[in-house]
Amino acid sequence: KEAETQQKLANVVILATGGTIAGAGASAANSATYQAAKVGVDKLIAGVPELAELANVRGEQVMQIASESISNDDLLKLGKRVAELAESKDVDGIVITHGTDTLEETAYFLNLVEKTDKPIVVVGSMRPGTAMSADGMLNLYNAVAVASDKQSRGKGVLVTMNDEIQSGRDVSKSVNIKTEAFKSAWGPMGMVVEGKSYWFRLPAKRHTVNSEFDIKQISSLPQVDIAYGYGNVTDTAYKALAQNGAKALIHAGTGNGSVSSRVVPALQELRKNGVQIIRSSHVNQGGFVLRNAEQPDDKNDWVVAHDLNPQKARILAMVAMTKTQDSKELQRIFWEY
Ligand SMILES: NC(=O)C[C@H](N)C(=O)O
């Protein structure tokens, strides 16, 4: 009988990378002061015995770090392992436990490069498992529920936080400390309640199986860096980043991705020297940067990031520049993904 139910359940692999969901504090009152990336994947799985009712779950520890320290090499390592598992006949879905600080970057990266329609769900928590009202257990339970659901196929990389199913492309950590940290300017795709998913929207942008990018063909990512716009800004950071080898600079601009008159000449010069200039916005509730609004992008040969925040623009620029160095192609990619 037990063997029969096991056969019917989906096979889900949990790839653990660290973060607060694997964090531990000194006491149950420590919801904000704790150490991330302490608990191993087997203990995480053992902490939620109800997972066994949703799927045949097994875990793999891919790395054990706080997500603010994730490197491009870590992204490639994780991406390649996800692709291998997705190709395996006995894997139906993949869950990635991850720190929340750069979760939106990893989720978007996987959304661009994984050539599979199998569910890939990235999940984290805002409180360590040792804290009162820890959110990691339910977030993980929801992630496994979504990853084992056939309805989740072909919807791109997903994120389950705070009972919501979000698109890995759109979602961003918008507040810290609070458990409702993850928001998208375009709203969640669905809800997951008591292990069941309820869907309301589909992503309009290209992803996974319809993406022109494939992790198997990517062996390294070019250096792309971000510089921040603010009052009284100088061009020092932009020049230093380029001097240090950046192939593209994401301008985390004010408002519409506007650029200070003290910075414009340096960016024009850097573009002439081959560095791609990509205008994004650091406004909190979702930027929307349009070509030739605020700056003459056609004349400057710059690219706009449209609704992608600076950190997501960095991910797309890196992936795109594994294939093209042409600014018009880059702009096409920024509209389509
Ligand atoms: N809530 C978290 O997961 C934060 C932690 N610094 C991390 O990203 O690993």
Side-chain angles (χ1 to χ4, degrees), residues 315-334:
I315 296 289
L316 182 55
M318 288 194 304
V319 170
M321 289 171 76
T322 62
K323 277 207 159 179
T324 181
Q325 310 308 313
D326 179 70
S327 61
K328 293 199 175 54
E329 261 294 276
L330 269 184
Q331 186 64 73
R332 179 204 42 94
I333 289 165
F334 268 86

Side-chain angles (χ1 to χ4, degrees), residues 19-21 34 36 65-68 98-102 125-126 173:
T20 295
I21 193 164
Y34 56 85
I65 55 176
S67 75
E68 60 272 24
H98 199 289
T100 57
D101 287 354
T102 60
S125 78
M126 297 305 292
K173 187 174 186 177

Side-chain angles (χ1 to χ4, degrees), residues 17 25 37 43 58 66 68 88 97 119 136 144 158 167 184 207 223 229 233 240 251 260 295 304 330 335:
T17 70
K43 207 170 161 198
R58 69 177 173 87
E68 60 272 24
S88 161
T97 60
V144 171
L158 305 165
S167 158
S184 148
H207 60 77
Q223 191 183 330
V233 67
H251 170 64
S260 162
Q295 284 293 326
V304 295
L330 269 184
W335 293 132

Side-chain angles (χ1 to χ4, degrees), residues 90-308:
D90 47 78
V91 174
D92 300 304
I94 298 158
V95 167
I96 296 144
T97 60
H98 199 289
T100 57
D101 287 354
T102 60
L103 189 151
E104 66 199 80
E105 299 179 31
T106 298
Y108 187 38
F109 176 72
L110 299 174
N111 192 59
L112 294 169
V113 300
E114 298 298 337
K115 306 293 284 178
T116 179
D117 70 348
K118 290 183 185 174
I120 300 169
V121 184
V122 192
V123 63
S125 78
M126 297 305 292
R127 297 175 183 148
T130 46
M132 286 185 269
S133 286
D135 53 331
M137 281 169 72
L138 181 55
N139 287 347
L140 182 61
Y141 181 75
N142 286 341
V144 171
V146 172
S148 54
D149 184 354
K150 282 202 177 73
Q151 282 192 87
S152 308
R153 292 181 83 117
K155 291 184 166 76
V157 171
L158 305 165
V159 172
T160 54
M161 294 287 291
N162 203 37
D163 299 351
E164 291 176 337
I165 308 168
Q166 298 271 5
S167 158
R169 177 198 184 269
D170 298 338
V171 79
S172 177
K173 187 174 186 177
S174 304
V175 276
N176 62 331
I177 300 283
K178 299 178 180 177
T179 51
E180 72 269 35
F182 280 74
K183 309 256 181 343
S184 148
W186 315 121
M189 290 166 71
M191 289 280 292
V192 49
V193 182
E194 295 190 357
K196 188 172 165 18
S197 343
Y198 301 87
W199 294 94
F200 298 96
R201 308 174 203 286
L202 292 173
K205 298 288 186 174
R206 292 175 70 178
H207 60 77
T208 56
V209 276
N210 295 318
S211 171
E212 69 205 78
F213 308 108
D214 183 345
I215 186 72
K216 284 198 247 153
Q217 274 139 39
I218 302 177
S219 54
S220 69
L221 293 165
Q223 191 183 330
V224 176
D225 289 304
I226 303 174
Y228 208 85
Y230 51 91
N232 206 48
V233 67
T234 69
D235 58 16
T236 311
Y238 299 85
K239 284 181 175 165
L241 290 169
Q243 218 157 42
N244 205 39
K247 302 285 180 287
L249 288 178
I250 310 297
H251 170 64
T254 36
N256 297 337
S258 52
V259 189
S260 162
S261 56
R262 280 183 299 277
V263 171
V264 168
L267 295 194
Q268 288 170 330
E269 185 66 22
L270 288 173
R271 180 68 203 107
K272 285 200 184 102
N273 296 335
V275 179
Q276 298 287 350
I277 306 298
I278 301 170
R279 289 196 301 125
S280 175
S281 170
H282 66 58
V283 295
N284 293 324
Q285 299 297 320
F288 203 91
V289 182
L290 291 170
R291 277 194 80 77
N292 303 315
E294 297 277 358
Q295 284 293 326
D297 297 297
D298 290 347
K299 180 177 146 250
N300 289 340
D301 194 25
W302 294 348
V303 172
V304 295
H306 198 34
D307 71 321
L308 293 177

